[in-house]
């Protein structure tokens, strides 16, 4: 099995595209750092005085504002007051601010490239006509398919590692080294949350991993279903981009239909749990993990069953 995995990794890294994806992530992180530095500017040393003035103005605005504007003014007032109470400089910027905000956003590229590579994994063998040569080896079909799957997971983790390492280096060079445990305020659907920069970043990464695994698995399944590489990759990317939209729609459906809570799409982005306890009423992290686990087993059984019985004639 180890030899099969090594062979698949060699095939992956023998393609220029595999290295180009890593380079794109690096360039995206550098560009994001430069842009954010241009927009944020230098930290304000007199932030307490300015924040206190903002709080005073918001208090006056809240009293005079019409009813429809009071809610958002109250939310902003609470946020500004929290900066003062918790001694959090809202203009502060360090490598951990950059990691927690911008680098997490760039992780979408990791997902996209993982989908492209996974969707093409098996379908490319059919498209190139190498599938027969692959299967005449003295290994079971399941072993060959599993080695491909494991190599895709390893490659995706390397993409994520590229993002994290480059993000830390770029953030440190541009914004300087900051306090790993510094507090900051994040706004969520449930209100504001006070968190520590470093731990919050790694918590988001931890919650990102199951979502990445499921997306890889779906893409890999599509790769075994279609002989056309273009079709498999196209459908994989389509599923990736519509998943967030469908997830939002299902959130509204779930208020009326209980069964909607157990569809896969609302659970694909577990990083939401780094910000709030529930994504839907009664749907907590354990529920989402259990739901994804059931779908994962279904996808894996389908993938290996289809490949075991598939006609490999080209």
């Amino acid at each position: 099995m180890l030899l099969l995995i090594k062979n698949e990794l060699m095939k992956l890294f023998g393609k220029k595209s595999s290295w180009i994806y890593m380079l794109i992530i690096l360039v995206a992180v550098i560009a994001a750092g430069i842009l954010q530095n241009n927009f944020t500017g230098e930290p304000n040393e007199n932030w307490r005085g300015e924040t206190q003035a903002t709080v005073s103005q918001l208090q006056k605005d809240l009293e005079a504002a019409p009813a429809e504007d009071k809610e958002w003014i109250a939310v902003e007032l609470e946020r500004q007051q929290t900066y003062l109470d918790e001694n959090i400089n809202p203009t502060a910027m360090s490598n951990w601010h950059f990691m927690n905000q911008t680098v997490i956003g760039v992780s979408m590229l990791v997902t996209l490239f993982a989908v492209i590579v996974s969707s093409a994994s098996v379908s490319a063998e059919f498209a190139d006509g190498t599938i027969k040569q692959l299967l005449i080896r003295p290994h079971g079909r399941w072993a060959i398919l599993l080695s491909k799957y494991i190599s895709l997971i390893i490659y995706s983790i390397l993409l994520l590692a590229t993002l994290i390492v480059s993000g830390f280096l770029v953030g440190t060079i541009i914004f300087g080294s900051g306090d790993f445990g510094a507090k900051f305020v994040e706004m969520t659907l449930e209100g504001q949350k006070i968190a520590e920069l470093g731990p919050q970043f790694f918590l988001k990464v931890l919650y990102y991993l199951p979502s990445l695994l499921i997306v890889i698995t779906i893409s890999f399944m599509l790769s075994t279903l279609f002989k056309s590489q273009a079709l498999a990759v196209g459908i994989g990317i389509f599923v990736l981009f519509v998943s967030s939209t469908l997830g939002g729609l299902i959130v509204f459906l779930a208020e009326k239909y209980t069964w909607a809570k157990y569809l896969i799409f609302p659970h694909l982005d577990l990083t939401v749990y780094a910000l709030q306890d529930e994504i839907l009423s009664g749907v907590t992290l354990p529920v989402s993990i259990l739901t994804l686990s059931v779908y994962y087993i279904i996808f894996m059984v389908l993938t290996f069953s289809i490949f075991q019985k598939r006609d490999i004639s080209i």
Side-chain angles (χ1 to χ4, degrees), residues 1-10 139 143 147 150 154:
M1 178 60 71
L2 290 177
L3 188 60
L4 287 173
I5 296 172
K6 180 181 178 181
N7 181 61
E8 290 299 327
L9 286 172
M10 289 175 62
H139 300 284
S147 66
I150 293 174
I154 294 173

Side-chain angles (χ1 to χ4, degrees), residues 128-290:
D128 297 338
T130 57
I131 188 67
K132 285 186 176 180
Q133 298 170 359
L134 185 67
L135 295 182
I136 60 175
R137 297 179 181 181
H139 300 284
R141 286 194 180 191
W142 68 268
I144 293 172
L145 194 63
L146 183 60
S147 66
K148 281 184 170 294
Y149 181 68
I150 293 174
S151 68
L152 290 171
I153 293 175
I154 294 173
Y155 176 71
S156 299
I157 291 175
L158 289 175
L159 286 176
L160 181 60
T162 300
L163 173 66
I164 294 174
V165 172
S166 62
F168 181 79
L169 292 176
V170 170
T172 302
I173 292 170
I174 296 179
F175 303 105
S177 181
D179 182 4
F180 181 83
K183 292 181 179 180
F184 77 117
V185 177
E186 278 200 313
M187 300 305 297
T188 74
L189 294 176
E190 297 176 350
Q192 64 180 14
K193 175 182 180 179
I194 301 172
E196 295 180 346
L197 286 166
Q200 184 73 347
F201 169 75
F202 285 108
L203 184 63
K204 289 176 180 177
V205 171
L206 180 64
Y207 288 159
Y208 170 74
L209 289 174
S211 305
L212 180 63
L213 178 63
I214 291 294
V215 169
I216 292 170
T217 305
I218 294 173
S219 303
F220 189 63
M221 180 180 66
L222 291 172
S223 186
T224 63
L225 288 175
F226 303 104
K227 291 184 179 180
S228 170
Q229 180 179 349
L231 184 61
V233 173
I235 294 177
I237 294 175
F238 175 77
V239 171
L240 173 64
F241 282 103
V242 301
S243 62
S244 57
T245 303
L246 289 175
L249 292 174
I250 292 171
V251 167
F252 289 104
L253 282 176
E255 296 178 359
K256 186 176 181 181
Y257 304 104
T258 304
W259 55 265
K261 295 180 180 180
Y262 303 106
L263 296 176
I264 190 172
F265 296 105
H267 306 279
L268 283 178
D269 185 10
L270 296 184
T271 58
V272 174
Y273 288 111
L275 304 174
Q276 56 197 55
D277 296 328
E278 296 182 346
I279 57 172
L280 294 167
S281 177
V283 179
T284 58
L285 179 60
V287 174
S288 288
I289 292 291
L290 179 60

Side-chain angles (χ1 to χ4, degrees), residues 46-65:
N46 188 36
W47 68 269
R48 289 195 66 89
E50 293 188 5
T51 303
Q52 184 60 64
T54 301
V55 167
S56 301
Q57 184 59 49
L58 287 172
Q59 289 172 338
K60 295 177 183 178
D61 293 342
L62 185 62
E63 296 176 359

